[in-house]
Amino acid sequence: MATWKRDSRLTALQRLSCAGLAGALSHSLTAPLEVFTVLAQVGTHHSRRGLWETGRSLCKAEGIGALWKGNLTACLRLFPYSALQLASYRRFVLLFVDDLGHISQWGSIMAGSLAGMVAAVATYPTEVVKTRLIVQNRLEPSYKGILHALYMIYHQEGVAALYRGVSLSVLGAIPFSIGSFLVYTHLDKIWGQPSIRFTPVQNFVNGCLAAGVAQSLSFPFETVKRKMQAQSPCLPHHGGVDINFAGMVDCFKQTVKTKGVLALWNGLTANLLRIVPYFGVMFSTFEFCRRVCLYRNGYIDSPLTYKLTPGVDQSLKPKELQEFKLLGRRSF
């Protein structure tokens, strides 16, 4: 059992900003690996030669900037996604905590999965746009940018096209949650000690391991979702998808029939290689941003350390601390 508690020394805007900036930086630094993953899932001609050859072929055909196709969309999407996820998580946590404020490992995972689903569905059109921008030819684009892509998809294919494959985000959350639960419930056996004694390094390894297992289990759903997002009769070569299908179930069938069952995991290597640098940059950036905010709020002496400011009550919220300091100045 664990007690759910957020750092009340940060404002809601600061928590959101920390999460958004950390996500944007980590995503930007690992964007090439995501491009390789999406191209392999969709099945474009660039992705049929292996990871290294995919990169060489893509850069030769479209320039090195092609490695960051769709990155701006992904970064802009992070802020509404993070806001919705954090707000939803707080609500869902209340469904799983007991009277003492404790929450089980499974309850925490379920709350996180449900919050992720809410955020994913709400921001799904931007994910469709990101996929379309990645698979298109950068030098001969069908879409000139994010807003143009939204406009063209809506007017050429209808609003339903902006939500094509959205049900797979919900279905994929099931194996993802199971994978996370299986890892986290066996960590004490893996490390040979209770989870309460884990170091920050161990927790980082645990997060990467859980992400690797969970994403591997849910990857077939992601692959089919990418194919559905990319497919369009209005695009050259129908969006570059390597199979013809009509609907979600048929996409599964045609992929297995024409490419083999392992094709549902095309792009998994690039995706797994992305996990460690992505989470490493995200966690370190989030912690640094968090320290900067704590320093600005007056709780620590420097953003480079966790040394607490002497005489400051760490239980006070930022607004309460500022009012306390103001009263202190007036008393003199």
Side-chain angles (χ1 to χ4, degrees):
M1 295 291 248
T3 302
W4 181 78
K5 184 180 180 182
R6 69 177 188 274
D7 194 340
S8 61
R9 297 175 298 175
L10 301 180
T11 65
L13 180 59
Q14 286 176 332
R15 286 194 294 271
L16 176 61
S17 299
C18 289
L21 290 173
L25 181 59
S26 58
H27 197 286
S28 297
L29 292 176
T30 60
L33 287 172
E34 183 177 28
V35 170
F36 297 160
T37 300
V38 173
L39 293 178
Q41 288 175 319
V42 173
T44 63
H45 67 280
H46 292 300
S47 65
R48 299 168 190 173
R49 308 172 187 175
L51 191 60
W52 176 253
E53 287 300 322
T54 296
R56 288 185 58 187
S57 173
L58 189 61
C59 290
K60 184 178 180 180
E62 303 179 38
I64 194 169
L67 299 177
W68 279 268
K69 290 192 294 184
N71 183 59
L72 178 60
T73 307
C75 291
L76 292 176
R77 175 177 179 261
L78 281 171
F79 289 94
Y81 183 94
S82 298
L84 288 167
Q85 187 180 40
L86 289 172
S88 300
Y89 183 70
R90 291 173 59 186
R91 300 295 185 273
F92 285 123
V93 158
L94 298 177
L95 300 177
F96 296 99
V97 294
D98 58 23
D99 294 336
L100 299 177
H102 296 149
I103 184 170
S104 65
Q105 191 72 65
W106 176 248
S108 179
I109 291 173
M110 283 299 298
S113 297
L114 291 171
M117 270 190 276
V118 170
V121 172
T123 60
Y124 194 78
T126 59
E127 187 177 348
V128 173
V129 168
K130 183 186 74 172
T131 299
R132 295 285 182 95
L133 293 176
I134 288 176
V135 300
Q136 74 173 357
N137 188 321
R138 178 168 165 265
L139 302 182
E140 300 175 358
S142 300
Y143 308 115
K144 299 177 182 178
I146 302 169
L147 296 179
H148 184 249
L150 285 169
Y151 175 83
M152 293 300 292
I153 294 172
Y154 174 75
H155 281 275
Q156 291 181 338
E157 305 172 52
V159 68
L162 292 171
Y163 290 91
R164 190 177 295 149
V166 67
S167 59
L168 288 159
S169 293
V170 178
L171 294 174
I174 298 174
F176 188 94
S177 300
I178 292 174
S180 298
F181 180 70
L182 289 176
V183 171
Y184 279 110
T185 52
H186 290 83
L187 288 176
D188 54 346
K189 297 178 182 178
I190 295 174
W191 293 107
Q193 61 183 26
S195 59
I196 196 173
R197 297 181 182 177
F198 289 164
T199 65
V201 174
Q202 286 176 310
N203 284 325
F204 172 73
V205 173
N206 296 340
C208 291
L209 179 61
V213 173
Q215 290 180 19
S216 297
L217 291 177
S218 62
F219 205 76
F221 295 91
E222 287 293 310
T223 297
V224 173
K225 183 176 73 173
R226 295 296 184 194
K227 292 182 186 294
M228 295 183 69
Q229 290 174 341
Q231 186 192 52
S232 171
C234 303
L235 296 176
H237 310 293
H238 293 276
V241 184
D242 56 355
I243 59 171
N244 295 315
F245 60 90
M248 179 182 69
V249 176
D250 191 46
C251 187
F252 272 106
K253 289 181 179 179
Q254 294 301 322
T255 300
V256 174
K257 181 180 178 180
T258 60
K259 302 295 180 179
V261 67
L262 292 180
L264 293 172
W265 280 270
N266 282 348
L268 179 62
T269 300
N271 189 68
L272 293 179
L273 289 174
R274 181 172 175 255
I275 288 176
V276 173
Y278 180 88
F279 283 106
V281 173
M282 184 174 67
F283 288 151
S284 58
T285 303
F286 181 85
E287 281 303 308
F288 179 74
C289 291
R290 177 171 169 268
R291 288 200 299 267
V292 170
C293 291
L294 290 175
Y295 171 70
R296 289 178 59 84
N297 291 349
Y299 292 101
I300 60 177
D301 281 339
S302 168
L304 302 179
T305 67
Y306 271 119
K307 185 178 180 181
L308 302 180
T309 302
V312 172
D313 187 348
Q314 300 291 321
S315 65
L316 293 177
K317 295 181 179 180
K319 187 176 181 180
E320 295 172 337
L321 180 59
Q322 294 304 317
E323 291 175 350
F324 181 77
K325 288 182 178 180
L326 185 60
L327 287 174
R329 294 193 191 102
R330 289 177 178 174
S331 65
F332 286 99

